Amino acid sequence: MNHMKQTRPFSLRARLRSVKFAYEGIETFFSAQHNAVIHGYFTAFVFMAAIFFKVSTTELVMLALAAGFVWSAEIFNTAIEAMMDHLSPEKHPRVKYIKDLAAAGVLVAAITAAVTGLIIFIPKLF
């Protein structure tokens, strides 16, 4: 069996540097994306509602997973859009197709999160 040989030994410093790069990516995302602000407000609202309605631990975990799903989808969408804009600055139907699919992923994540929130909060309202 052919195993890929690791070229460098494990380094805690390299892992910490990776975390630093990821944090910089989050900072870049928040500073450059208007949708991040919208997601931030919705996320804050949902978790304030969770506190107000005293949701169960399981419900809180579901809300956190749903919110994380949306945040991850939005970050991946942003990365795909930036990559496509870099690779093809001019308008192209295939680039539009790729960017539309990435945006659709965010929409699916947002709908899933909204349904999760409705399932949890509607019974608490009535």
Side-chain angles (χ1 to χ4, degrees):
M1 208 150 121
N2 187 8
H3 288 89
M4 223 167 130
K5 187 176 178 185
Q6 198 173 16
T7 56
R8 288 181 252 154
F10 176 81
S11 162
L12 184 57
R13 180 173 288 170
R15 295 309 99 217
L16 292 174
R17 207 170 27 248
S18 294
V19 172
K20 178 181 174 277
F21 295 145
Y23 180 77
E24 289 172 0
I26 290 170
E27 281 184 329
T28 301
F29 174 72
F30 275 101
S31 66
Q33 293 300 312
H34 296 105
N35 285 347
V37 174
I38 295 166
H39 289 305
Y41 284 126
F42 273 106
T43 302
F45 175 76
V46 165
F47 286 102
M48 285 189 291
I51 291 167
F52 179 80
F53 287 109
K54 296 177 177 70
V55 301
S56 71
T57 302
T58 301
E59 291 168 330
L60 187 59
V61 167
M62 298 309 296
L63 292 170
L65 288 171
F69 184 38
V70 174
W71 283 105
S72 295
E74 188 64 60
I75 290 168
F76 284 126
N77 176 54
T78 300
I80 291 166
E81 287 186 357
M83 179 175 51
M84 296 314 299
D85 289 344
H86 175 75
L87 294 174
S88 180
E90 67 283 343
K91 289 192 184 267
H92 189 279
R94 293 299 291 170
V95 170
K96 179 186 181 320
Y97 173 73
I98 291 165
K99 290 169 78 171
D100 287 352
L101 286 175
V106 177
L107 181 61
V108 168
I111 291 169
T112 301
V115 168
T116 301
L118 292 171
I119 290 168
I120 291 170
F121 290 117
I122 285 178
K124 294 178 184 328
L125 291 171
F126 300 105

